Amino acid sequence: MTDAATQTSSGETAPATTSKARKKGGRPPGVRRGEKVEVRVSGAEKADLRAAATEAGITVSEYVRRRSLGRPVTARADRETRVLLRRIGVNLNQLARAANTSGAPTPEAGLADALDHLRRVLAGLE
C-alpha cells in the first residue's frame, strides 16, 4: 500500500484525505457574472476610467460596476492613509493606557487631545 492511500474496513484501498480542508477561491456559488454590458466612450473618457481604476487599485470593470451601482470606490492612497493613521492611533492609545495604569503623568499634556483628534480624522475617512 502506498502513502497516498488508506485501507477501508472492507479491505478496499481508498485515496488518503488530508486533515486540512482546502478553501476554494473565487466567487461564491450562484454569483456568476456572465452578462455583459457594452458602453461606448471617447478615448479621453477611457483614459480617465483607467486612471481612476488604477488609483483605486481595481480593474476598470469593477470600477465601472461600483460607480454605476452606487457603491463606494475608495482610492488606494486613502486606504493606506487609514491604515497608517490607525497604527498611529494604536500607539497613542497604548502610551495613554501605560501612563494611566502607572500613575505617571502623560508624556505630553495634549496626548488625550491628539488621540481625540486622530479619532475624528479616522471617522471622517470612513
Side-chain angles (χ1 to χ4, degrees), residues 3-27:
D3 291 339
T6 58
Q7 191 169 7
T8 63
S9 60
S10 62
E12 298 174 1
T13 302
T17 58
T18 60
S19 60
K20 292 182 182 180
R22 283 188 68 189
K23 288 186 179 182
K24 289 186 178 181
R27 220 175 260 98

Side-chain angles (χ1 to χ4, degrees), residues 8-79:
T8 63
S9 60
S10 62
E12 298 174 1
T13 302
T17 58
T18 60
S19 60
K20 292 182 182 180
R22 283 188 68 189
K23 288 186 179 182
K24 289 186 178 181
R27 220 175 260 98
V31 185
R32 183 172 177 261
R33 290 192 177 125
E35 300 298 319
K36 186 175 183 180
V37 176
E38 293 185 36
V39 178
R40 295 207 178 264
V41 294
S42 69
E45 290 170 331
K46 186 175 182 178
D48 289 345
L49 287 172
R50 281 187 178 160
T54 300
E55 183 180 333
I58 56 178
T59 64
V60 174
S61 294
E62 183 63 23
Y63 179 81
V64 171
R65 187 179 305 112
R66 287 183 189 183
R67 290 295 304 257
S68 65
L69 297 174
R71 295 183 185 140
V73 176
T74 307
R76 185 181 325 144
D78 289 346
R79 286 192 300 264

Side-chain angles (χ1 to χ4, degrees), residues 79-121:
R79 286 192 300 264
E80 291 170 359
T81 301
R82 266 198 313 266
V83 167
L84 290 174
L85 286 173
R86 281 200 179 118
R87 287 180 183 164
I88 292 169
V90 166
N91 289 341
L92 283 173
N93 209 7
Q94 289 171 346
L95 287 171
R97 182 174 293 147
N100 288 335
T101 56
S102 70
T106 56
E108 291 189 33
L111 183 61
D113 293 335
L115 189 56
D116 288 337
H117 180 67
L118 181 61
R119 286 184 179 133
R120 287 193 304 273
V121 169

